[in-house]
């Protein structure tokens, strides 16, 4: 275990603090926007964008969110003790997963909308991406996360566990990653026991399995897109999005 941490409480406190400091938007902030929807004209404007324009529009915004997840990862006790390559390997596959976990905090299950460009958007706004199955899967996942009614503390520990995942391919020092993963798992079970919600644990592992298939769908769509629009993907996407996902 990382020597600096005397006990699990301290581990949980540092992950919760990091989650709060890197959450880009506070839930209360966006609660006020939940019923701010796009007008028919605004929806039509998004739907008349070309495929590559809309992909670029979304990639820029999602890269914003990914940057905050990179910051979050750096403050997970033990993450920075891993080799650079292992840190990149974990972020390559885990950062979009954490973005999608966090995205569920900005999802309105009553009108099936998600925060996007300052308002809350329904799936029809993303029609010009030409990947309705990805959007449906993103919305379904957000619904599933909201149904668990996780606290911010639980989301923080769950996000850390999603990120520190030893199943990632090409890890150099799997056993070191395993030690960090075990301490985060201890933290999550500690939080759930304290909240008297241990039954959530297996539901969270099911959510992780759904998340993995959702993110491989995202990668598949991105590969499809990059082949069809190589110029946009290689020169107009944010470097971090390319580095992590392309
Ligand atoms: C961490 O949680 C959040 C939640 C919301 C937002 C952010 N962070 C960052 C700031 N942001 C802004 C500025 O709009 C929001 C955003 O990006 N929303 C948004 C973007 C794309 C969407 O679907 C398309 C799509 C989804 C998955 C994978 C690829 C995709 O397209 C290629 C849906 C919503």
């Amino acid at each position: 275990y990382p020597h600096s941490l005397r006990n699990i409480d301290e581990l949980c406190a540092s992950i919760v603090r990091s989650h709060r400091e890197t959450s880009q938007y506070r839930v209360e902030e966006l609660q006020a926007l939940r019923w701010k929807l796009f007008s028919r004209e605004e929806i039509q404007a998004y739907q008349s964008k070309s495929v590559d324009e809309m992909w670029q529009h979304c990639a820029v915004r999602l890269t914003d969110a990914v940057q905050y997840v990179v910051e979050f990862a750096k403050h997970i006790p033990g993450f920075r003790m891993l080799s650079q390559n292992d840190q990149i390997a974990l972020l390559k596959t885990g950062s979009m997963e954490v973005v999608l976990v966090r995205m569920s905090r900005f999802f309105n299950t009553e009108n099936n909308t998600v925060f996007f460009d300052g308002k809350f958007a329904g799936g029809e706004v993303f029609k010009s991406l030409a990947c309705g199955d990805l959007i449906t899967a993103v919305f379904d996942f957000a619904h599933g996360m909201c149904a668990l009614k996780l606290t911010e503390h639980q989301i923080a520990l769950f996000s850390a566990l999603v990120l520190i995942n030893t199943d990632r391919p090409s890890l150099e020092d799997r056993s070191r990653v395993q030690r960090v993963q075990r301490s985060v798992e201890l933290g999550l079970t500690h939080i759930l026991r304290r909240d008297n919600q241990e039954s959530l644990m297996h539901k969270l592992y099911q959510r992780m399995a759904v998340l993995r298939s959702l993110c491989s769908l995202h990668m598949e769509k991105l590969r499809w897109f990059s082949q069809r629009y190589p110029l946009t993907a290689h020169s107009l996407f944010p470097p971090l999005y390319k580095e992590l996902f392309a």
Side-chain angles (χ1 to χ4, degrees):
Y1 297 97
H3 328 292
S4 59
L5 294 173
R6 276 189 303 283
N7 58 23
I8 283 296
D9 281 318
E10 201 178 300
L11 171 104
C12 292
S14 65
I15 290 175
V16 167
R17 187 182 322 113
S18 170
H19 170 77
R20 194 177 42 246
E21 285 165 3
T22 63
S23 62
Q24 186 177 14
Y25 303 90
R26 285 201 339 284
V27 181
E28 309 72 48
E29 236 176 303
L30 296 189
Q31 290 296 1
L33 292 173
R34 281 161 68 84
W35 297 98
K36 208 169 168 212
L37 307 178
F38 287 110
S39 67
R40 271 170 32 76
E41 292 72 29
E42 288 169 319
I43 292 173
Q44 254 143 31
Y46 283 118
Q47 294 180 336
S48 52
K49 279 179 183 287
S50 62
V51 174
D52 61 329
E53 229 180 331
M54 190 60 179
W55 263 87
Q56 193 193 341
H57 193 89
C58 293
V60 164
R61 277 141 193 77
L62 289 164
T63 303
D64 234 12
V66 167
Q67 242 126 16
Y68 284 87
V69 171
V70 172
E71 271 315 300
F72 169 65
K74 282 158 60 177
H75 296 90
I76 296 173
F79 182 82
R80 272 202 293 216
M81 279 157 34
L82 302 173
S83 72
Q84 285 285 334
N85 292 346
D86 281 356
Q87 291 181 35
I88 292 282
L90 292 178
L91 282 167
K92 218 165 168 47
T93 21
S95 56
M96 180 55 83
E97 290 177 352
V98 175
V99 166
L100 291 166
V101 168
R102 289 178 159 203
M103 190 177 274
S104 60
R105 294 155 73 238
F106 310 133
F107 189 77
N108 184 344
T109 51
E110 287 157 69
N111 57 13
N112 213 23
T113 58
V114 67
F115 176 61
F116 176 67
D117 266 355
K119 295 184 178 178
F120 273 68
E124 71 283 356
V125 166
F126 304 97
K127 206 168 103 203
S128 55
L129 285 175
C131 41
D133 47 352
L134 174 67
I135 298 306
T136 306
V138 167
F139 277 59
D140 288 350
F141 178 75
H143 257 286
M145 285 306 296
C146 292
L148 298 180
K149 299 194 182 320
L150 299 182
T151 64
E152 282 303 294
H153 287 202
Q154 293 166 348
I155 289 181
L157 270 292
F158 179 60
S159 300
L161 188 57
V162 162
L163 210 55
I164 311 292
N165 180 327
T166 49
D167 304 355
R168 303 295 181 205
S170 74
L171 284 177
E172 286 167 349
D173 188 343
R174 207 169 294 276
S175 60
R176 247 166 92 183
V177 177
Q178 223 136 32
R179 272 206 303 279
V180 181
Q181 181 185 47
R182 228 191 313 278
S183 64
V184 172
E185 262 169 3
L186 276 175
L188 181 56
T189 37
H190 173 74
I191 288 258
L192 292 179
R193 194 171 300 122
R194 193 193 63 187
D195 301 341
N196 205 4
Q197 285 186 292
E198 279 137 294
S199 62
L200 265 181
M201 202 58 178
H202 85 277
K203 289 187 185 121
L204 289 174
Y205 276 102
Q206 281 171 339
R207 289 278 98 207
M208 277 171 74
V210 172
L211 197 46
R212 247 170 259 165
S213 63
L214 171 50
C215 281
S216 50
L217 180 61
H218 169 245
M219 303 297 266
E220 184 194 310
K221 292 291 167 191
L222 182 58
R223 265 193 299 277
W224 160 80
F225 176 83
S226 311
Q227 269 147 18
R228 230 179 103 180
Y229 300 93
L231 191 72
T232 310
H234 298 295
S235 57
L236 297 173
F237 271 11
L240 182 62
Y241 193 92
K242 273 187 319 192
E243 165 64 32
L244 288 179
F245 309 127

